[in-house]
Amino acid sequence: MTQMELARQGKVTDAIRAVAEAEGIPAEAVRRDVADGRIAIPLNKNRRATRIMGVGRGLRVKVNANLGTSPDYADVAAELEKLAAAVEAGADAIMDLSTGGDIPAIRRRLMDACAVTVGTVPIYEAAANAARQHGDIAQMTAEDILGAVRRHAEDGVDFVTVHGGVTRRITESDAVRRRVCGMVSRGGTFLAHWMRRHQQENPLLERFDEVLDIAREFDVTLSLGDGLRPGAIADAMDGPQIEELMVLADLARRAVAAGVQVMIEGPGHVPLDQVEAQVKLQKELTGGLPFYVLGPIVTDIAPGYDHITSAIGGAVAAMAGADFLCYVTPTEHLGLPRPEDVREGVIAARIAAHAGDVARGRAEARAWDRRLSEARSRRDWPRQLAEAIDPERARALRHERRPGHEDVCSMCGDYCVFKVRNGGGKKEP
Ligand code: SF4
């Protein structure tokens, strides 16, 4: 049985208890929300994760880091290094999006080394296999796509992205052709290419009941991918995006009815003034199911700084009710990230998630800010640095820009307001 089915029977499972303890809320409240789908606990029956996370109502906003090889860089050692960087920086989950090298072997190596929740996009493997064997991703069959979902589930993947909302009707519409950047989701684009070639509907939609059977067998959480997410500010909140969201809401209802845990994925590139509306719309259409957003990136003009553009959008999305933020690294749109980019991306997304938690009035988030402020006010430097979200960076900067006196920083020196206020504003001999 799935966590959701057990919760519906009134059982407080070990996973539910672990989430409740980590969040500091009653296990019964978590059980209730798992039962109705408003909290997902992505945890495959075949997985032995040591850090379980819950995503959804009343819980801390979580952060995911995307990893994975590309056809140009398929080095498993580099991916393991990035995994270590992501987990050390505080990611709650990672997704292996590998498309290069021995994809199953890379996935298994990452999962063996990974203590946190793991997600994947199985269609990447099906498409990469077809491209290698036949020179064209459209040569994959519907069986290949469903077979990839099953293999990932058997391997113990905790959540899988399935782009069931990418319909033939939407992908062939003039509205998509009019977009500045068209479709930018890889999975969505693979499916659109496949549908055009075969003149058939999306197998992940048509055979969604089979997807549900696999998910139920292994208690894999379905992350309903937004293959039509906007990839440009000019394309945000258009017809294809909203139509897809309505299809995803319908699929999500079917998943919940089948006892399968589910999240909905969201955009993408979204102007700041639309972020709140996008979150509210998703919550309204799905009855409050967990919302997993990529960024959102709030302006297109900052390649090299998209960890910042996405953190701005992520903070507003989290404040409005988004539950799970997918990080964006400084190399987004530019190249495959290195470990230092992964680290920076995770920290940026964690700041956004925490800012959302603070705005939502979460007691432990507010308490963390207070502890740091009190240490700052006392000029208790060791405590202030220890409380920083990235103590390593805070220590390095303080050390590098050393003040003349250890009780202040080099910004104001002896004119430090905290020192002056306490009558200590004169230089000591
Ligand atoms: S020296 Fe200035 S910037 Fe530094 S802690 Fe004191 S008031 Fe803040």
Side-chain angles (χ1 to χ4, degrees):
M1 271 198 271
T2 64
Q3 293 288 336
M4 188 187 274
E5 290 171 318
L6 290 165
R8 283 176 184 164
Q9 290 187 351
K11 298 204 169 88
V12 173
T13 62
D14 289 347
I16 289 173
R17 198 168 294 109
V19 167
E21 274 168 23
E23 303 278 345
I25 56 176
E28 179 53 24
V30 177
R31 186 202 63 77
R32 243 186 355 250
D33 283 339
V34 170
D36 68 16
R38 291 195 178 92
I39 288 179
I41 304 178
L43 179 63
N44 186 309
K45 284 179 181 164
N46 288 349
R47 184 87 202 291
R48 291 177 306 279
T50 48
R51 271 175 50 193
I52 298 169
M53 70 157 188
V55 173
R57 183 160 76 172
L59 306 185
R60 177 176 62 80
V61 177
K62 305 300 186 304
V63 165
N64 172 73
N66 285 343
L67 311 174
T69 59
S70 72
D72 292 337
Y73 293 96
D75 178 1
V76 70
E79 295 311 312
L80 286 167
E81 226 185 301
K82 286 195 267 177
L83 168 66
V87 174
E88 200 186 305
D92 299 290
I94 63 110
M95 287 190 81
D96 172 25
L97 306 185
S98 291
T99 53
D102 184 343
I103 296 171
I106 292 165
R107 176 171 66 253
R108 288 171 196 142
R109 286 284 302 276
L110 285 173
M111 288 183 69
D112 282 348
C114 184
V116 300
T117 303
V118 173
T120 58
V121 188
I123 197 171
Y124 289 179
E125 186 178 329
N129 287 344
R132 275 181 210 155
Q133 287 164 19
H134 310 291
D136 182 0
I137 58 171
Q139 291 296 325
M140 66 185 166
T141 64
E143 293 305 325
D144 291 337
I145 296 171
L146 289 168
V149 175
R150 172 164 282 280
R151 268 196 311 283
H152 287 227
E154 286 169 350
D155 278 355
V157 170
D158 299 308
F159 68 98
V160 292
T161 295
V162 287
H163 301 88
V166 177
T167 66
R168 264 182 93 184
R169 207 200 77 76
I170 309 176
T171 57
E172 290 169 8
S173 67
D174 283 343
V176 171
R177 275 191 284 275
R178 279 198 301 270
R179 278 183 164 185
V180 174
C181 283
M183 289 180 71
V184 296
S185 148
R186 269 189 296 187
T189 304
F190 293 164
L191 284 164
H193 180 55
W194 187 91
M195 290 188 283
R196 206 167 37 245
R197 178 69 61 83
H198 296 275
Q199 292 294 299
Q200 284 177 31
E201 188 49 275
N202 177 356
L204 292 171
L205 174 63
E206 281 214 316
R207 297 174 65 175
F208 190 65
D209 284 335
E210 291 172 61
V211 176
L212 288 176
D213 288 344
I214 298 168
R216 199 161 166 272
E217 184 179 342
F218 296 93
D219 201 1
V220 174
T221 297
L222 295 182
S223 189
L224 299 179
D226 55 337
L228 284 139
R229 67 171 172 268
I233 290 295
D235 298 336
M237 200 74 121
D238 67 354
Q241 189 203 338
I242 303 306
E243 190 175 337
E244 181 189 43
L245 177 58
M246 291 168 73
V247 178
L248 295 182
D250 187 46
L251 295 179
R253 267 190 293 277
R254 285 169 60 186
V256 171
V260 169
Q261 302 193 87
V262 68
M263 306 184 280
I264 309 264
E265 295 186 14
H269 290 236
V270 180
L272 199 49
D273 62 299
Q274 288 181 13
V275 172
E276 183 183 355
Q278 296 244 9
V279 176
K280 301 270 189 246
L281 184 63
Q282 183 274 354
K283 290 284 176 185
E284 199 58 42
L285 284 173
T286 66
L289 296 181
F291 196 24
Y292 173 27
V293 294
L294 174 61
I297 286 171
V298 294
T299 171
D300 300 338
I301 55 97
Y305 295 92
D306 277 326
H307 56 314
I308 295 175
T309 61
S310 62
I312 294 168
V316 176
M319 179 172 69
D323 306 287
F324 191 18
L325 307 183
C326 184
Y327 86 161
V328 174
T329 76
T331 67
E332 181 77 9
H333 305 112
L334 300 171
L336 200 66
R338 293 169 304 183
E340 55 270 35
D341 305 315
V342 167
R343 185 172 191 286
E344 215 165 326
V346 170
I347 297 288
R350 283 188 59 212
I351 294 168
H354 176 76
D357 284 334
V358 168
R360 278 151 76 158
R362 283 189 68 81
E364 85 283 357
R366 292 279 174 108
W368 184 5
D369 280 63
R370 189 181 180 91
R371 287 197 304 277
L372 196 141
S373 296
E374 286 172 350
R376 180 173 288 154
S377 176
R378 287 194 309 270
R379 285 174 292 141
D380 178 347
W381 291 96
R383 171 63 25 208
Q384 187 183 165
L385 299 177
E387 290 287 357
I389 196 165
D390 184 355
E392 194 185 314
R393 182 167 166 81
R395 277 192 199 100
L397 286 174
R398 175 158 168 81
H399 182 74
E400 183 188 302
R401 290 147 216 209
R402 263 193 123 66
H405 290 264
E406 288 298 321
D407 60 345
V408 293
C409 84
S410 57
M411 179 80 145
C412 324
D414 256 355
Y415 299 119
C416 173
V417 293
F418 300 120
K419 188 168 180 177
V420 171
R421 187 182 60 197
N422 292 327
K426 291 184 92 170
K427 231 180 185 33
E428 288 150 25

